[in-house]
Structure formats: C-alpha cells, structure tokens
Amino acid sequence: MIIPSFILPPLPSDGPVKVLFVCLGNICRSPAAEGVMKEIVDSQGNPARWVIDSAGTGNYHIGDLPDPRMRAHARRRGLNLTHRCRQVCLSDFDDFDIIVPMDASNERNLRALAPSPQAEAKIVPMARFFTLATRYDHVPDPYYEGAEGFELVLDLLQDGCQNLFDTVEQTFTH
Ligand code: 4NP
C-alpha cells in the first residue's frame, strides 16, 4: 500500500533518507521500529540509501539495550535489537529528514523541541502509515502491558514501516 507522498516532508534529492523513530523510553517501541525498518530496507531496498536510528524523549534508560521483553518478542520475528538508548536532541532536527513519534505525547514533546517550522515539518506520526489496523491512532506504550502489548507493537510497526518504506521508495521512482 502506498500512502500519499504529500504526507512526507521534503526529502533530499541525493544522499540517504534519514529516519529517526521516537518514543518515550527508547527501550521498547522506537528501537523496535528501528529494527523492523532496517530489516525491511535490508531485504527489499538499498541500505546505502537509508540511515535509520531511534531516540527517546525521556532520559531514564540512556545507554541501555532495549527492554528484554521487547527483544524477546522481536527475536521471534527474526529481529535482533541492538540499539543503545539515547535521548532525542536538537541536532536530530538537522541530522534527520523524517522524525516519527509513536504517540501523541512523543509528538507534542518533539513539536516543543523543534527549532523552526521546517524542522517541525519533519515530524510525521507513525500512525499516519497504518493501513491494516486503522483503529489505532498511535503505537500503545507496552511497558506496563503483557505479551500481547509487545506483539501489538510489532504488528503495528511491521505494517507502518512497510508503508513508510514503500512511500519513500515511490518518491524516488517518480
Ligand atoms: P517506550 O516504553 O517509550 O516504548 O520505550 C517505555 C519504556 C520505559 C518507560 C516508559 C515507556 N519508563 O517509564 O521507564
């Protein structure tokens, strides 16, 4: 499924497309999104044309690997999550082309941090790319949930990241 490309901010005409996924803790949702997106790019695209990273609006877990529950659920889908937690920072608005918050709280925090309207235009919520689970308008925080919460995160991200990938690739071929 191709999402209308007007959802995307302006992308560079040369060089890689740089995508930053953002959640609160950077130990569950956004490192999972990074892992899902890297797997899609590795298997369907050209890794040299992409830079993919993740960060958290909070600073509780800096330097940590993703939550062991997120890693275990991801591993069952063939994904090895090795990201080290970091906090989102002002220079991320220079360093990335598309900044993808997982929920409305992450989005509000990013909008407050954005140094310019052009920087703010880089923020595109993950749920804008959902096509299967359209009853979800965000990626729910699984931290206080059980296994089903982590599985839901991966289901939503596999749909959304595929559509993000397809939409960016389409802008290159037109
Ligand atoms: P994430 O989940 O934002 O998907 O990484 C959370 C991880 C940790 C906390 C909250 C949410 N925490 O409060 O420590």
Side-chain angles (χ1 to χ4, degrees), residues 23-31 60-61 106 141-144:
C23 62
L24 171 58
N26 192 218
I27 56 168
C28 295
R29 292 166 291 174
S30 62
Y60 325 110
H61 301 280
N106 313 147
D141 185 347
Y143 195 64
Y144 295 106

Side-chain angles (χ1 to χ4, degrees), residues 36-50 52 161-162 165-166 168-170 172:
V36 166
M37 193 72 194
K38 282 179 171 167
E39 197 279 329
I40 290 169
V41 166
D42 285 350
S43 60
Q44 302 173 38
N46 178 356
R49 277 176 46 184
W50 294 80
I52 302 159
C161 287
Q162 182 66 55
F165 174 82
D166 291 344
V168 170
E169 288 287 317
Q170 185 211 30
F172 286 140

